Amino acid sequence: MPQVELLTGENKWQNEDARVAALVATGILDTPPEPSYDAITRLAAEYFKADTVLLCFVDQSRVWIKSYWGEAVRELPRKDSIFDMMLAENGSVVVPDLTERPKFDGQRLMIRRLEVASFAAAPVRCADGKILGELVIFTCEPRGVMAADQLHMLESLADIAASQLELRRLRKAFHKRRVRRSHPISHSVTEIWPRRSDLRQALEEHQFVLYYQPEVELATRRVVGLEALIRWQHPERGLIPPMDFIPAAEETGLILPIGDWGLSEACNQIQQWCSEDPERGAPRVCVNLSARQFAREGLADHVEALLRQSGVSSRSLGLEMTESSLIPDPRTALEVLSSLRRLGISLLLDDFGTGYSSLNHLHSLPFDVLKIDRSFVMRMTEGEQPLQIVRTIVELARVLGMEVLAEGIETCDQYNLLRQLGCRLGQGYLFSKPVPAETISRMLRLPGRILPDPEAKIDGSNQKNS
Ligand code: C2E
Ligand code: MG
Ligand code: MG
């Protein structure tokens, strides 16, 4: 249990300039209170039955509250704040009973303002460990000693807030890179292709195919699901990846008939796998939905009709969507997701971290699985910081009661680290690239549907993967 000592020495101001500079660099101080952090304060309030929860970032003179639960507070003076206790401690502080500390002078303002009897605070740190802010829970009654796992929970929630800051920074970098990459292409002739008529013709001539990539339980490498990924088998150009035609399909509106084809093709394939193995049936097949498909009226009715026509159980179908498809109209998004959920379909949040990540939505939306974007998995062996992001996304999923699946696992190191972090599910080239349905049929006949050990594959003892 951290001991509370009010340090007043000069050394507590050491490195303060660097700390504030790191804080300013995040851009968090220039923004109004952010609803994207509300899920954290709300979760903390619910978990600890707290009366007030504050998520704050602190500069030289002020405590800026970015999200609160309970008492509405926007800012407080920095002088003698709980934050300074935390800096002095260089870690969490817990004061279970203020009445036993009548001379608790230093923290007067905050305490009196909120009329609280106990509090606990955990640090929000940046990449190199500097404390930028704090997550504080207050209660009006003395609450007694805080158990170690409770303190751990508070610290995990503060870490999630820190990841949220880091995700924001990465997202900015990601979008900047994307804009830079797409700029020259937009002026080249490649942008002209495919035209609407090419896509229409492809649909009519049945040139689209679905490939499938296994989703495995990391502990056992058992195939627990499949992601359906569309390809265009073009008569002259060969096999074309989705990113080369899905944007054009979205732009022209043809994504709707193409998406309908994909959904019904996936349902037929599920039926096919069920008939090949009536005892075990098919693993859950997940289909990607674009923003436009998601925004379409009557989506749930459409999916329900498809399931009925094909005789597929809703438990065998999953739908993947990205956060950006939910953002334009979060209220409708919630309604659509809820009605899909009522059908018994699994809902997966794709590419988590690259969109306009909003924990607030995440908390209220009924997703079953959170898919950690490949870019985070790729970087996780590069150092403590990316690893910490993956760790906190896993923790976040756990707190929100969701399954977590890591995308794009390519190396044994990533595989081993993810298992250590408690990530249960994964997919990636290490296990299998997306492959045609016939190859999946062969995989599903493996004993226990367990894929070969990738470490053995590296030894050269296994050549099986196509
Ligand atoms: P996604 O849904 O995030 O799919 C994962 C992508 O990562 C797939 O690319 C997959 O082949 C690739 N991938 C999986 N494991 C690894 C790995 O270990 N390393 C690397 N480097 N890549 C890996 P793909 O098939 O090119 O699909 C790209 C995107 O196109 C998908 O991203 C999805 O957003 C979209 N998409 C695919 N099929 C459909 C579809 O039927 N409808 C819609 N609307 N979008 C689709
Ligand atoms: Mg996907
Ligand atoms: Mg993805």
Side-chain angles (χ1 to χ4, degrees):
M1 194 65 51
Q3 274 301 306
V4 177
E5 285 302 330
L6 293 179
L7 296 192
T8 51
E10 283 303 305
N11 57 348
K12 78 174 178 175
W13 294 107
Q14 244 178 10
N15 293 330
E16 183 59 6
D17 287 348
R19 194 194 70 76
V20 174
L23 180 65
V24 170
T26 65
I28 190 73
L29 288 183
D30 306 330
T31 58
E34 294 199 20
S36 60
Y37 290 97
D38 289 353
I40 297 170
T41 42
R42 191 184 326 149
L43 276 169
E46 283 166 9
Y47 185 87
F48 292 100
K49 300 194 173 34
D51 298 293
T52 299
V53 180
L54 303 179
L55 177 66
C56 330
F57 294 94
V58 186
D59 67 11
Q60 293 96 333
S61 61
R62 314 295 290 171
V63 176
W64 301 99
I65 287 110
K66 285 290 156 180
S67 172
Y68 58 78
W69 171 270
E71 177 93 7
V73 195
R74 286 293 162 90
E75 64 174 278
L76 289 161
R78 157 84 183 262
K79 193 169 182 303
D80 294 330
S81 65
I82 291 171
F83 184 77
D84 279 321
M85 292 171 73
M86 185 181 285
L87 272 192
E89 277 294 317
N90 192 23
S92 302
V93 286
V94 179
V95 176
D97 188 352
L98 281 162
T99 54
E100 286 183 0
R101 292 173 168 268
K103 286 208 184 123
F104 210 74
D105 285 350
Q107 312 302 314
R108 240 182 342 220
L109 252 168
M110 186 103 127
I111 304 305
R112 202 185 287 154
R113 163 94 164 79
L114 300 172
E115 290 180 3
V116 293
S118 72
F119 67 83
V124 177
R125 295 180 190 269
C126 68
D128 59 5
K130 290 193 189 79
I131 300 179
L132 304 185
E134 60 184 341
L135 177 65
V136 201
I137 56 166
F138 298 94
T139 47
C140 300
E141 301 287 324
R143 65 178 305 144
V145 180
M146 189 181 236
D149 62 336
Q150 284 193 316
L151 182 61
H152 179 68
M153 179 55 135
L154 188 66
E155 287 170 344
S156 294
L157 288 168
D159 284 346
I160 290 170
S163 301
Q164 183 71 349
L165 258 190
E166 176 61 9
L167 287 176
R168 202 166 119 125
R169 193 186 65 74
L170 285 174
R171 221 163 37 235
K172 265 196 208 142
F174 179 84
H175 284 300
K176 234 189 248 162
R177 266 206 317 276
R178 228 179 20 200
V179 168
R180 236 185 283 136
R181 258 210 322 256
S182 62
H183 184 69
I185 296 168
S186 67
H187 292 291
S188 78
V189 286
T190 54
E191 208 211 11
I192 302 164
W193 192 88
R195 289 163 307 186
R196 188 172 210 282
S197 55
D198 299 315
L199 291 164
R200 166 90 25 232
Q201 187 180 1
L203 250 181
E204 282 162 7
E205 297 183 1
H206 309 290
Q207 291 171 2
F208 293 118
V209 283
L210 288 186
Y211 272 38
Y212 298 88
Q213 186 179 36
E215 297 171 354
V216 302
E217 185 179 58
L218 294 179
T220 58
R221 294 185 314 281
R222 188 169 57 89
V223 178
V224 293
L226 297 161
E227 179 172 8
L229 294 156
I230 197 169
R231 270 96 183 92
W232 181 353
Q233 184 66 67
H234 193 277
E236 284 122 37
R237 294 174 183 250
L239 197 65
I240 298 166
M243 291 328 282
D244 290 0
F245 63 90
I246 292 284
E250 295 220 11
E251 223 166 273
T252 57
L254 282 176
I255 191 67
L256 296 182
I258 295 174
D260 286 351
W261 170 83
L263 268 171
S264 95
E265 174 67 15
C267 287
N268 293 339
Q269 190 56 58
I270 294 171
Q271 272 302 36
Q272 169 76 25
W273 282 319
C274 283
S275 64
E276 285 172 14
D277 187 346
E279 212 164 284
R280 287 182 295 185
R284 177 182 67 198
V285 174
C286 301
V287 177
N288 290 281
L289 278 194
S290 74
R292 225 160 148 161
Q293 285 171 279
F294 186 71
R296 182 190 199 176
E297 231 171 83
L299 174 67
D301 294 340
H302 176 67
V303 174
E304 190 178 16
L306 259 178
L307 288 171
R308 211 174 317 115
Q309 273 162 27
S310 57
V312 161
S313 153
S314 58
R315 269 173 311 157
S316 307
L317 186 67
L319 293 176
E320 296 194 1
M321 53 220 97
T322 57
E323 290 164 287
S324 46
S325 32
L326 312 172
I327 294 302
D329 184 357
R331 197 176 310 152
T332 314
L334 177 60
E335 279 167 25
V336 176
L337 289 172
S338 304
S339 46
L340 288 168
R341 186 75 186 275
R342 274 195 296 277
L343 292 178
I345 290 167
S346 308
L347 301 174
L348 297 86
L349 186 57
D350 208 353
D351 303 348
F352 183 71
T354 61
Y356 299 89
S357 178
S358 162
L359 287 171
N360 200 31
H361 290 123
L362 204 54
H363 184 245
S364 55
L365 297 174
F367 281 102
D368 302 277
V369 183
L370 200 157
K371 295 187 80 169
I372 306 176
D373 188 66
R374 186 158 64 85
S375 55
F376 299 113
V377 174
M378 218 163 66
R379 295 176 59 235
M380 68 185 289
T381 45
E382 286 172 13
E384 186 48 39
Q385 167 75 2
L387 185 67
Q388 179 61 19
I389 293 178
V390 176
R391 183 182 289 129
T392 45
I393 296 179
V394 171
E395 180 65 16
L396 168 69
R398 195 184 65 76
V399 170
L400 295 176
M402 293 179 189
E403 283 278 14
V404 64
L405 184 150
E407 297 186 288
I409 306 172
E410 292 188 356
T411 68
C412 290
D413 283 350
Q414 291 163 350
Y415 175 37
N416 291 330
L417 271 174
L418 284 161
R419 272 185 299 176
Q420 279 167 29
L421 294 182
C423 178
R424 203 175 79 80
L425 305 171
Q427 70 186 88
Y429 292 174
L430 185 67
F431 308 109
S432 167
K433 289 193 167 177
V435 290
E438 307 81 71
T439 313
I440 295 290
S441 296
R442 283 202 295 280
M443 276 182 203
L444 296 181
R445 286 198 289 274
L446 290 170
R449 293 183 168 171
I450 291 173
L451 296 182
D453 184 352
E455 311 226 31
K457 238 190 266 181
I458 284 163
D459 295 343
S461 53
N462 190 324
Q463 309 290 327
K464 208 159 176 185
N465 209 4
S466 49

